[in-house]
Amino acid sequence: MKKENYYITTPIYYATDDPHVGHALATVSADVIARYHELSGKNVYFLVGTDEYGTRVSLKAQSEKKDPQQFVDDVAKRYQEIWKTLNIKNSIFMRTTNPKHKDVVSKFIQKVYDKGDIYKAEYEGYYCVGCEEFKKDKDLIEGHCQIHRPDQTIFQREENYFFKLKNYAPEVLKLIESDEYKIIPPSKKNEIATKLRQAIDDNELGDLSISRENLDWGIRVPWDNTHAIYVWFDALLNYYSALKIDNKFEEFWPPQLHIVGKDISWFHSVIWLSMLLSAEEKLPKKLFVTSFFTIDGQKMSKSLGNVISPDDLVTKYGIDGTRYLLATSLPYLDDGDIGYSKFDERYRSDLSNDLGNLVSRVSALCEKKGYVAEGDREIPEFIGKVEEFYESCKIHEVIQEVNKLTSDLNTRVTEEKIWEKEKEEFSKVIGAIINGIRRVAYNLKPVMPETTENILATFEPNKKVQKAKVLFPRLDDD
Ligand code: MSP
């Protein structure tokens, strides 16, 4: 039977700085979902990458006195390294400075222009370089953006090309409200739909400026090379151009799932769908909008010195430990809080004390009794509500569900005092417990690919079980 195709994406991060825990959180979570779909028998294409044009990147390169291309090459390399370290199984690392991306973007925008959906007009107003977004007066506090430094909001008056966003807004609203473009969780769908409906009703939704006159670092507008294409127009198209570049378009378009933070959900719904409607392309199916986190109650920032780097997490908790901690921390409905004390606690309780201890004590008992493992190496089934949770991207609930099974198995070992059982009775009970462990391992495969493989290898059928090596070493300060 032909496998179902599944195309999943993370945002492509601005190539301005080293990757931080926020990027890792979103990317590891996407990787977990991608691996789940692969294990469920789908043909998966998983996109990650970097967003390399625009004012924000250009200013950062200037401030470091580097040539912009050299600068983004270096940043992209660091992203690639950290994704490799974290065992991210991406199909492509998309970079918007790839010349082939430029060709695809040029063709796309030309098509939209030829259709009559782009016109030239004067733009006057504020632009936040941090958001790479034009701001309305009501979005500003004391004349600047609420998220980024005040000096990042600049006043601009120039000729721009505009995309007729307004023409597509009613159709986009319908697609969102009817769930044809499904936005999860529902609270985020409602926020976007309400904002859009209001903007349409109040006649407040303007067309979108999609070019900049005084920007060197960007893809040229094909019919007017004095203008560069607005970075979001070019960046969103990375999801589309990647498949063209990789000759996978027929197979994988349209995306089944975009995963984005709430800061960029408007771009990935209203703007992105309008662009695709204009170009008469098939539309993506689902958007998962994540919330934000704080670190020990504070916003993560360099000046506060509380930035957590993925490399430091790996040094402390190992690769799979880090993947587990990040996957369980993705803020789902509301903003969440993370931090080393929370990570330590969860590492100790869920990993060292629960899962690690279960595998260690069961394998040690088997070794002592000279037990030869029986049954199948793997039990390839997802338990309980796991599939349903994955469909709604509730990774934390998937993990909770599996953890219950782990705890039950630990309780069973203790309550049944298996170590006191004689041969036949021991074989029977331990066989069931090992099958339970195999089930846990399979269900956690997307989260901890290497550790679960080690667990399965410990109970390799027809072999004498040896005590497993420590899966989750004690933390230094224990
Ligand atoms: N380049 C754009 C995306 C273009 S996609 C076509 C961009 N880049 S970004 O580097 O700012 O990354 C934004 C994404 O990083 C967020 O949407 C989110 O997925 C992730 N996060 C960054 N900081 C985060 C938090 N503090 N909390 C949760 N996610 C965070 O926007």
Side-chain angles (χ1 to χ4, degrees), residues 444-463:
L444 287 179
K445 258 189 175 189
V447 183
M448 298 191 284
E450 276 183 17
T451 307
T452 49
E453 203 41 50
N454 289 341
I455 296 175
L456 293 172
T458 299
F459 301 104
E460 188 75 45
N462 308 319
K463 275 197 181 155

Side-chain angles (χ1 to χ4, degrees), residues 11-14 20 22-23 25-26 51 56 232 235-236 238-239 260-264 268 290-293:
I12 51 166
Y13 305 111
Y14 287 123
H20 61 59
H23 307 125
L25 198 78
D51 187 354
R56 182 168 162 166
W232 267 102
L236 286 164
N238 93 89
Y239 304 129
V260 302
K262 64 178 182 180
D263 51 337
I264 56 175
H268 282 82
T290 67
S291 288
F292 269 11
F293 62 80

Side-chain angles (χ1 to χ4, degrees), residues 205-225:
L205 189 80
D207 284 334
L208 178 73
S209 161
I210 51 155
S211 78
R212 305 290 310 277
E213 224 180 347
N214 300 309
L215 178 67
D216 292 334
W217 189 238
I219 299 175
R220 300 287 103 195
V221 169
W223 62 89
D224 179 352
N225 71 8

